[in-house]
Amino acid sequence: IRPLLTATTDDGWFFDTELLLLAEHNGLRIHEVPVDWVEDLDSRVALAATAWDDLRGLLRVAKAKARGTAAVAGLPRRPDPRAAHPDAVLAARRNSRLTWPAISFAVIGLLSTLATAALYAIGREWWSPLEANLVALTVTTVINTEANRRFTFARTGQGLLLVHTLAALIFLGYYALTSLALLALSALVPTPSRALEVAVLLAASVFGTVGRFLLLQGWVFATRPHRTPDWHREDAR
């Protein structure tokens, strides 16, 4: 149990729940043992605060599972009945690490897209479609990039200036895509309504967001490969 205790971070009411979640996630068998229980009728607990802490704990463990960081080293090895070959286990772990970035990026992207649409609608009161689009995307892209750096890809140690510089290059393509969509709308509909402009902008943003995710994951926040020392490979064999 010592490796599990080392990986368990909560020291309050959520402690035992986190311990069991980690044990189950790492393939350990959980056995229920009956005990004698003496109820303290004068026991008190801050219900709202405890419930909130438990919800935060569940989210934290879920993030760790999705990122692949909930795997605890030093535990007894047990055969995985779902895996016919050890490579299948490694592939499953790699796929699990993709889950959290996709979820986090989708949530941040949705909020950013809604914010872009709102800023665009406000900016159209004073500026042309391309100018309003530029201002809206510039504001949301900076915030979006920093949020993804901190939460989606967890690269807080990566250079801030480098990340935003590379993201600015992606921004140019994103701006070009959405601007072309607005220009195409103007060519097809001489006097489009603001609602139609926002709808076209949102549709173009969906395509741009998919490409932006692939570029951020595969380029800006890519994990650089490193060579495994010969002695380490020999020890693994």
Side-chain angles (χ1 to χ4, degrees), residues 165-175 208 211-212 215-216 219-220:
T165 300
L166 296 178
L169 298 178
I170 300 176
F171 164 79
L172 295 178
Y174 193 83
Y175 174 68
R212 189 166 182 270
L215 288 173
L216 286 176
W219 181 39
V220 178

Side-chain angles (χ1 to χ4, degrees), residues 52-204:
W52 175 245
D53 289 341
D54 286 351
L55 290 174
R56 292 174 56 191
L58 288 171
L59 178 60
R60 176 169 48 79
V61 174
K63 287 171 58 177
K65 289 182 177 181
R67 284 175 171 170
T69 57
V72 179
L75 293 174
R77 289 191 175 186
R78 300 193 181 278
D80 187 351
R82 298 167 299 177
H85 192 275
D87 290 342
V89 179
L90 297 177
R93 289 180 178 177
R94 284 195 296 267
N95 292 336
S96 68
R97 294 191 185 100
L98 297 177
T99 306
W100 170 252
I103 295 174
S104 177
F105 187 87
V107 173
I108 295 174
L110 175 61
L111 296 176
S112 298
T113 302
L114 294 177
T116 300
L119 291 175
Y120 176 84
I122 296 173
R124 280 292 282 122
E125 297 295 329
W126 301 283
W127 303 310
S128 67
L130 297 186
E131 291 172 333
N133 184 37
L134 177 62
V135 172
L137 283 181
T138 300
V139 173
T140 55
T141 297
V142 173
I143 300 174
N144 178 287
T145 301
E146 184 60 20
N148 282 309
R149 186 179 77 94
R150 291 176 176 272
F151 303 110
T152 303
F153 301 102
R155 296 291 194 275
T156 53
Q158 198 168 352
L160 184 65
L161 180 60
L162 176 62
V163 167
H164 283 276
T165 300
L166 296 178
L169 298 178
I170 300 176
F171 164 79
L172 295 178
Y174 193 83
Y175 174 68
L177 174 65
T178 53
S179 296
L180 287 174
L182 292 173
L183 289 174
L185 174 65
S186 299
L188 296 174
V189 183
T191 56
S193 64
R194 299 289 168 79
L196 183 58
E197 286 183 0
V198 172
V200 170
L201 182 63
L202 289 175

Side-chain angles (χ1 to χ4, degrees), residues 30-38:
I30 300 174
H31 183 66
E32 297 183 14
V33 180
V35 298
D36 291 330
W37 179 272
V38 179

